[in-house]
Amino acid sequence: MAAPTPGYVFEAAPTDDPDTEQTRSVMMQALAAMYDPYSIARLAEHTIPETARCLVLGVGASRIAAHLADRAPYGEVVATDTDHTHTVRHPRVRQLTHDIATDPLPQGPWDVIHARLLLGHLPQRDTLLATLADVLQHNGLLVVEELAGTWPFSVLDAPDLHEADRLYATYGRAFGAVLAAQGVDLTWSRRVHAHMRNLGLDVDTQVHAATWTGNSPGTQLPWASAGLLRDQLTAHGMARADITAFRDLLRRHDLRVLGNAAVSTIGLRTH
């Protein structure tokens, strides 16, 4: 068996398809729409000083940096990503083109560090987590949020439940294989808790999943992912016809699914 090839899985999306960038935009916006409200609710559970220094890693299209800028009007917010095409602009957020895998972190200490759907893609995730914990201010928060796949039991209602279950399960197996081939740790979402505790943080983990209809953010995400990764999915056993049928299903307004679970782990440095 070949060794995993580390890297962000969607970097391998087809570049010769004129719809690739539009599909990528759908994916980024769907992620933000699905998980921003939950991430913001988790942050609302904690006091954030008005002078807080906040670092948002891999900001994508999320509103997390803008939210923190509003909560810390006299502080500093830095939002990093390798590409800021989809980043939400805010007058008090400094955007930094940055690759956490290769570039030094912006100078700490930080009162809040937020990383969503980032560390699980990186082979040095354990070391990076320790580095992030080291640059936390006293009473600082380290927020790491990842997804846990629900594909085998995602379908709640569909015109043909048996066929919808089959397509979702087929996609889940192939997508999981694609992620593993890229070095993604599919267990990372639940391992973060123990790692943070071992780093001396006070840790709380919560899980959130919601019901979505067809052609809404919770189904637009796999629709976009299946389009961007169709070559890789095919290579890992999903027939092209099933990819097409799966994406058609995800557009149906009479589909109801349980979206992938967001696993939110917050570590508090108390010493």
Side-chain angles (χ1 to χ4, degrees):
M1 181 181 294
T5 304
Y8 184 55
V9 64
F10 293 99
E11 288 177 351
T15 56
D16 58 347
D17 184 340
D19 295 329
T20 291
E21 287 311 310
Q22 182 179 356
T23 304
R24 196 189 306 276
S25 179
V26 170
M27 180 184 71
M28 301 294 288
Q29 298 301 327
L31 280 168
M34 286 179 73
Y35 299 117
D36 275 5
Y38 179 58
S39 297
I40 289 169
R42 285 286 279 154
L43 288 167
E45 297 171 8
H46 297 269
T47 299
I48 296 175
E50 290 188 340
T51 57
R53 300 188 72 230
C54 306
L55 177 64
V56 180
L57 298 164
V59 64
S62 81
R63 295 197 57 83
I64 303 305
H67 170 76
L68 289 169
D70 290 338
R71 289 195 54 189
Y74 307 110
E76 177 187 8
V77 180
V78 176
T80 79
D81 213 321
T82 56
D83 180 356
H84 284 283
T85 300
H86 304 285
T87 303
V88 175
R89 268 56 181 175
H90 188 286
R92 293 199 50 261
V93 174
R94 177 165 68 92
Q95 295 178 15
L96 178 65
T97 301
H98 176 271
D99 186 339
I100 190 176
T102 57
D103 299 333
L105 280 176
Q107 185 66 41
W110 299 94
D111 295 285
V112 180
I113 301 174
H114 185 276
R116 188 171 73 194
L117 304 183
L118 176 64
L119 298 182
H121 287 267
L122 304 174
Q124 63 273 53
R125 57 187 71 87
D126 295 353
T127 301
L128 288 171
L129 189 70
T131 299
L132 296 176
D134 283 345
V135 297
L136 275 182
Q137 182 68 272
H138 177 67
N139 287 329
L141 301 173
L142 175 55
V143 185
V144 175
E145 297 179 320
E146 302 285 351
L147 297 187
T150 60
W151 307 295
F153 48 89
S154 288
V155 181
L156 302 175
D157 194 8
D160 184 337
L161 281 170
H162 177 77
E163 178 64 2
D165 276 340
R166 185 189 72 81
L167 289 171
Y168 250 95
T170 301
Y171 170 75
R173 286 192 298 271
F175 186 52
V178 171
L179 294 176
Q182 288 291 117
V184 176
D185 183 352
L186 298 174
T187 70
W188 175 248
S189 61
R190 63 180 173 83
R191 293 199 305 110
V192 175
H193 188 107
H195 279 280
M196 282 195 186
R197 287 194 66 209
N198 291 337
L199 293 169
L201 304 181
D202 290 347
V203 187
D204 170 59
T205 296
Q206 296 184 22
V207 181
H208 169 78
T211 302
W212 299 93
T213 65
N215 206 30
S216 68
T219 48
Q220 287 169 345
L221 177 59
W223 178 88
S225 299
L228 293 171
L229 298 176
R230 59 184 176 274
D231 292 340
Q232 294 95 314
L233 293 170
T234 301
H236 287 279
M238 189 172 187
R240 289 272 179 167
D242 279 347
I243 295 173
T244 298
F246 179 61
R247 298 186 82 210
D248 288 345
L249 172 69
L250 294 169
R251 293 291 202 185
R252 293 191 60 125
H253 292 284
D254 48 0
L255 175 71
R256 300 292 184 273
V257 301
L258 184 68
N260 285 336
V263 183
S264 174
T265 303
I266 298 182
L268 173 67
R269 177 164 293 290
T270 57
H271 59 276

